């Protein structure tokens, strides 16, 4: 049916309500006497008046029926007297002119959804149709001389006064009306509305939540003007009034009434109506109580805390909730996911250990609190920061994550290569220098601007050359730097091992300067004619512990000394078959997942003649190259990320160029929150 236009002459007797829907559970009404869109309100209609229900639900949804009962749903019990287009769906108007003989209570209901329903209370006797005509209401038809000063009303039916709810009051002095909210006659004295009779009032109850399993139970009602005989009713959202089977008047201001087990959570909240039986006057408390109220969270939505990788879940804020009925509340994750390794216990606490993450990770999840009957849901987050940050070969800027104020930091320079010499064993490469701080506090500048860094490479081992007797020399490791706001820290690259030199020519790029062992974070090992290993030149810094040691000495029998390590000096050569061992690296127990089982800065071993392989220092140092003319090995490469030194090598004979010295290991920067 197309939307109907109502003439201006009918405005006084016509009310319009606009219908929407809240899902399939409620009609929403907007119109006179209602504040905003109200779900399934109880409406009071006056006999003889016309009401338009404009169904604006789209696509023909939610057919609207006026009915004598809603118990059976569907189209049953339709009340069609005075109704035009009863059952009109979305996009139509249902017009209801209330007959004078209409029952005192009707209902509205969606024929498709039984819960979309409410009450229509029918009030007033009105004036019979046709009893008042236009000529009887013509201008000047009623004058003051036609109205007696003291009229006498006769008859037995009574006189009808205006009817409306509390929100429909008009504040005009002398106004008399029937308040459909309170059920009382009232008048306006120029300041406020006052009752024409003494009626009870209901102000409060002793509790507003009851567990259904505890019913029947008593409720204590507080108010005023309770007569010696009273009745109590509980009315739910469906409009059904349930009488209390047991009522005790404790005093004029207190009543104890039993809530029967027919009061269910389906129709909460319930209003309480107290009626004085002697007068029939009533008082009502709306939204007085609920049945089986849902748990109420005690922790606001949002972050429950921040963990580092391997952090304990027990340090997180526990989820809490209260239940008005006193039931035990349990918690579970019902959407999203917790960080890996973390578990939510049923009591709201967290346990487990956060798994390691490579970058800051925030998990969003929903927690459902249940009292066994009702539930509440709230969304939370937990952030996990990486405990370990590994900065490897190259350069960049690292910024501490939000919430991280301090950390343990390890800075390792690149290790040097060993030395290559013909017919003489080269010295082992020295390890990169190391700087360590167990608890560095980040400055505001470091947290806002980040920290620039460079991780140094290890020195490349030296290979063969053409021509008789060429020396190869060594390559030092590169520095690793960490630019704090107070100054740049430098973990020095390792120093290269010594070569022979003598009278032999050198390869391009390797002059006489490359024959002697080189200083570095740890010094290179010595060799024949350049016996003495080099010392460490690692700089020390306030608040930081520096590590670096000297290389071992070479031997006159052509064997090379071991390169210095972060934890100890390189070993001295012991003869033609005993190249010096690489100096031991330093153990850092916080970083056992890195380096060589937590060791860093092992020195490279010196080269040797014979069949025994000289050993590089623990912490990534390369083994020494060796040979006896039959069996020959190149110098061993250091482990990258340890700053270890490469092994030295001996090439048997001046015309043998097959074997190279070992590569130094790249440096590293490790950060633990």
């Amino acid at each position: 049916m197309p939307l109907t236009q109502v003439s201006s002459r009918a405005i006084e007797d016509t009310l319009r309500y606009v219908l929407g829907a809240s899902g399939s559970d409620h009609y929403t009404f907007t119109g006179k006497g209602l504040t905003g869109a109200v779900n399934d309100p109880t409406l009071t209609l006056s006999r003889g008046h016309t009401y338009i229900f404009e169904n604006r639900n789209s696509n023909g949804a939610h057919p609207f029926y006026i009915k004598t009962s809603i118990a059976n749903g569907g189209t049953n019990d339709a009340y069609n007297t005075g109704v035009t287009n009863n059952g009109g769906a979305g996009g139509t108007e249902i017009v209801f002119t209330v007959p004078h003989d209409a029952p005192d209570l009707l209902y509205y209901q969606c024929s498709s959804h039984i819960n979309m329903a409410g009450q229509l209370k029918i009030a007033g006797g009105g004036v019979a149709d046709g009893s008042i005509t236009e000529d009887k209401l013509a201008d000047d038809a009623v004058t003051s001389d036609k109205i007696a000063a003291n009229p006498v009303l006769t008859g037995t039916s009574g006189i009808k006064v205006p009817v409306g709810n509390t929100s429909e009051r008009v504040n005009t002095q002398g106004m008399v009306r029937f308040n459909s909210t309170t059920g009382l006659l009232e008048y306006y004295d120029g300041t406020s509305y006052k009752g024409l009779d003494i009626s009870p009032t209901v102000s409060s109850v002793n509790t507003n939540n009851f567990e259904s399993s505890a019913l029947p139970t008593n409720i204590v009602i507080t108010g005023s003007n309770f007569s010696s005989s009273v009745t109590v009713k509980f009315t739910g959202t469906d409009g059904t009034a349930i009488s209390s089977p047991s009522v005790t008047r404790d005093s004029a201001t207190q009543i104890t009434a039993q809530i029967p087990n027919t009061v269910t959570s389906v129709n909460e909240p319930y209003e309480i109506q107290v009626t004085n039986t002697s007068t029939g006057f009533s008082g009502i408390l709306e939204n007085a109580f609920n049945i089986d109220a849902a748990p109420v969270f005690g922790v606001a939505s949002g972050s429950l805390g921040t963990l580092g990788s391997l952090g304990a879940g027990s340090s997180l804020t526990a989820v809490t909730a209260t239940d008005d009925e006193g039931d035990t509340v349990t918690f579970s994750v019902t959407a999203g996911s917790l960080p890996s390794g973390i578990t939510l216990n049923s009591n709201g606490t967290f346990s487990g250990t956060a798994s390691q993450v490579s970058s800051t990770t925030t998990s969003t999840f929903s927690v459902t609190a249940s009292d066994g009957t009702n539930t509440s849901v709230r969304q939370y987050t937990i952030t996990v920061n990486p405990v370990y940050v590994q900065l490897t070969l190259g350069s960049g800027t690292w910024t501490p994550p939000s919430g991280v104020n301090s950390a343990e930091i390890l800075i390792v320079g690149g290790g040097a290569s060993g030395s290559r010499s013909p017919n003489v064993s080269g010295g082992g490469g020295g390890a990169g220098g190391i700087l360590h701080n167990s608890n560095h506090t980040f400055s505001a500048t470091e947290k806002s601007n980040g920290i620039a860094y460079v991780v140094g490479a290890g020195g490349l081992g030296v290979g063969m050359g053409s021509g008789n007797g060429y020396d190869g020399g060594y390559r030092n490791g590169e520095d690793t730097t960490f630019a704090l706001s107070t100054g740049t820290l430098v973990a020095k690259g390792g120093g290269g091992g010594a070569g022979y030199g003598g009278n032999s020519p050198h390869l391009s790029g390797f002059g006489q300067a490359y024959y002697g062992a080189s200083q570095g974070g740890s010094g290179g090992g010595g060799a024949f004619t350049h016996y003495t290993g080099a010392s460490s030149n690692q700089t020390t810094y306030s608040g930081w512990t520096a590590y670096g040691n000297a290389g071992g000495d070479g031997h006159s029998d052509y064997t090379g000394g071991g390169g210095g390590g972060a934890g100890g000096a390189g070993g001295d050569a012991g003869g033609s078959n005993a190249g010096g061992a690489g100096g031991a690296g330093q153990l850092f127990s916080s970083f056992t997942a890195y380096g060589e089982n937590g060791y860093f800065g092992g020195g490279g071993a010196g080269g040797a003649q014979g069949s025994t392989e000289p050993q590089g220092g623990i912490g990534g140092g390369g083994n020494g190259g060796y040979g006896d003319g039959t069996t020959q090995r190149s110098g061993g490469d250091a482990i990258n990320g340890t700053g270890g030194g490469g092994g030295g090598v001996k090439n048997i004979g001046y015309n043998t160029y097959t074997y190279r010295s070992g590569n130094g290991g790249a440096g590293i920067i490790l950060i633990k929150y």
Side-chain angles (χ1 to χ4, degrees):
M1 171 180 181
L3 298 180
T4 304
Q5 297 295 319
V6 181
S7 70
S8 59
R9 297 176 65 182
I11 291 176
E12 290 289 331
D13 294 323
T14 303
L15 284 176
R16 179 181 294 270
Y17 294 96
V18 177
L19 308 182
S22 177
S24 60
D25 294 324
H26 305 285
Y27 280 114
T28 61
F29 285 65
T30 305
K32 186 175 181 181
L34 303 176
T35 302
V38 179
N39 290 344
D40 303 330
T42 297
L43 302 178
T44 300
L45 310 184
S46 297
R47 292 180 173 87
H49 286 239
T50 299
Y51 300 84
I52 297 175
F53 300 92
E54 182 182 339
N55 194 341
R56 289 190 179 178
N57 290 293
S58 61
N59 300 320
H62 305 304
F64 183 87
Y65 277 86
I66 296 174
K67 309 174 71 175
T68 60
S69 171
I70 60 173
N72 297 317
T75 62
N76 299 299
D77 306 315
Y79 182 83
N80 297 313
T81 305
V83 183
T84 302
N85 200 29
N86 204 11
T92 62
E93 290 182 342
I94 299 88
V95 181
F96 184 22
T97 300
V98 185
H100 292 280
D101 60 352
D104 292 338
L105 183 63
L106 293 172
Y107 304 87
Y108 62 85
Q109 187 178 49
C110 174
S111 62
S112 301
H113 306 98
I114 194 170
N115 290 332
M116 298 178 69
Q119 291 184 319
L120 299 174
K121 295 182 178 179
I122 309 303
V127 180
D129 292 341
S131 64
I132 298 178
T133 60
E134 286 188 5
D135 65 327
K136 294 178 181 179
L137 295 177
D139 293 341
D140 301 324
V142 180
T143 60
S144 60
D145 64 336
K146 296 180 181 180
I147 301 176
N150 297 292
V152 177
L153 304 178
T154 61
T156 59
S157 298
I159 184 171
K160 185 180 184 301
V161 299
V163 177
N165 59 37
T166 300
S167 64
E168 295 172 326
R169 287 171 168 170
V170 177
N171 297 337
T172 302
Q173 189 175 21
M175 179 70 71
V176 179
R177 65 193 299 275
F178 179 82
N179 191 321
S180 60
T181 301
T182 64
L184 302 173
L185 285 170
E186 61 183 13
Y187 69 97
Y188 192 73
D189 65 358
T191 302
S192 63
Y193 270 93
K194 297 184 177 176
L196 292 175
D197 43 40
I198 299 176
S199 55
T201 62
V202 184
S203 57
S204 63
V205 292
N206 64 317
T207 182
N208 56 12
N209 289 286
F210 296 90
E211 186 71 42
S212 60
S213 61
L215 300 181
T217 191
N218 288 336
I219 187 171
V220 178
I221 304 167
T222 302
S224 64
N225 303 323
F226 299 146
S227 67
S228 59
S229 177
V230 294
T231 61
V232 176
K233 291 182 178 179
F234 310 110
T235 304
T237 55
D238 68 340
T240 301
I242 301 173
S243 297
S244 173
S246 176
V247 179
T248 301
R249 177 189 181 269
D250 304 316
S251 67
T253 59
Q254 181 174 300
I255 295 169
T256 301
Q258 186 185 87
I259 303 175
N261 56 16
T262 52
V263 176
T264 67
S265 61
V266 175
N267 298 313
E268 67 178 13
Y270 284 85
E271 70 176 30
I272 294 177
Q273 181 180 17
V274 176
T275 301
N276 290 337
T277 56
S278 58
T279 64
F281 298 146
S282 301
I284 295 176
L285 178 64
E286 298 180 339
N287 300 321
F289 64 88
N290 292 322
I291 303 296
D292 289 330
V296 178
F297 278 94
V299 179
S301 59
S303 176
L304 296 177
T306 298
L307 298 174
S309 298
L310 309 180
S314 57
S315 64
L316 297 168
T317 300
V319 181
T320 62
T322 57
D323 183 71
D324 289 331
E325 296 84 46
D327 291 330
T328 299
V329 179
T330 59
F331 303 90
S332 60
V333 175
T334 52
S337 60
L338 295 171
S340 177
I342 301 298
T343 300
L344 174 65
N345 303 312
S346 62
N347 65 357
T349 62
F350 293 91
S351 59
T353 301
S355 300
Q356 291 196 44
V357 294
S358 58
S359 61
T360 298
T361 303
T362 298
S363 298
T364 302
F365 54 94
S366 295
V367 174
T368 295
S370 174
D371 64 3
T373 303
N374 294 294
T375 60
S376 299
V377 181
R378 185 159 287 180
Q379 190 175 83
Y380 297 102
T381 63
I382 295 173
T383 298
V384 179
N385 287 321
V387 169
Y388 294 98
V389 176
Q390 177 181 347
L391 305 178
T392 57
L393 183 63
S395 61
T397 299
W398 176 80
T399 302
S402 176
V404 174
N405 298 312
S406 62
E408 180 179 2
I409 303 175
L410 182 69
I411 306 171
V412 181
S417 76
S419 180
R420 171 210 181 263
S421 288
N423 212 40
V424 173
S425 296
I434 295 179
L435 297 171
H436 177 252
N437 191 322
S438 61
N439 190 26
H440 171 72
T441 300
F442 297 111
S443 69
T445 300
E446 292 162 4
K447 294 172 69 173
S448 61
N449 297 340
I451 303 169
Y453 68 89
V454 176
V455 176
L460 293 178
V462 181
M464 333 46 98
S466 61
N468 184 36
Y470 278 88
D471 274 346
Y474 57 82
R475 292 184 175 93
N476 292 334
E478 294 179 347
D479 296 342
T480 294
T481 63
F482 202 56
L484 301 179
S485 59
T486 55
T488 299
L489 306 179
V490 181
K492 294 284 190 177
Y500 171 51
N503 298 318
S504 64
H506 54 84
L507 293 175
S508 176
F510 296 93
Q512 292 291 333
Y514 290 85
Y515 297 152
S518 175
Q519 283 190 322
S522 289
F528 177 65
T529 74
H530 297 283
Y531 298 125
T532 305
S535 61
S536 168
N537 64 358
Q538 177 58 57
T539 306
T540 59
Y541 301 90
S542 177
W544 293 77
T545 303
Y547 298 88
N549 291 279
D553 295 339
H555 195 275
S556 59
D557 287 336
Y558 307 143
T559 48
D572 294 337
S576 63
N577 297 320
Q586 182 67 36
L587 173 65
F588 297 91
S589 58
S590 296
F591 302 104
T592 55
Y594 302 90
E596 186 176 2
N597 300 319
Y599 284 89
F600 297 83
Q609 182 173 315
S611 58
T612 301
E613 186 175 27
Q615 297 298 298
I618 186 172
N623 294 339
Y626 67 98
D628 56 7
T630 301
T631 303
Q632 183 80 31
R633 295 286 187 274
S634 294
D637 296 334
I639 300 174
N640 281 321
T642 65
V649 66
K650 176 179 181 179
N651 279 290
I652 304 300
Y654 284 98
N655 295 312
T656 306
Y657 309 103
T658 307
Y659 307 101
R660 65 169 176 81
S661 59
N663 298 326
I668 197 169
I669 299 174
L670 295 173
I671 303 167
K672 180 185 178 185
Y673 304 150

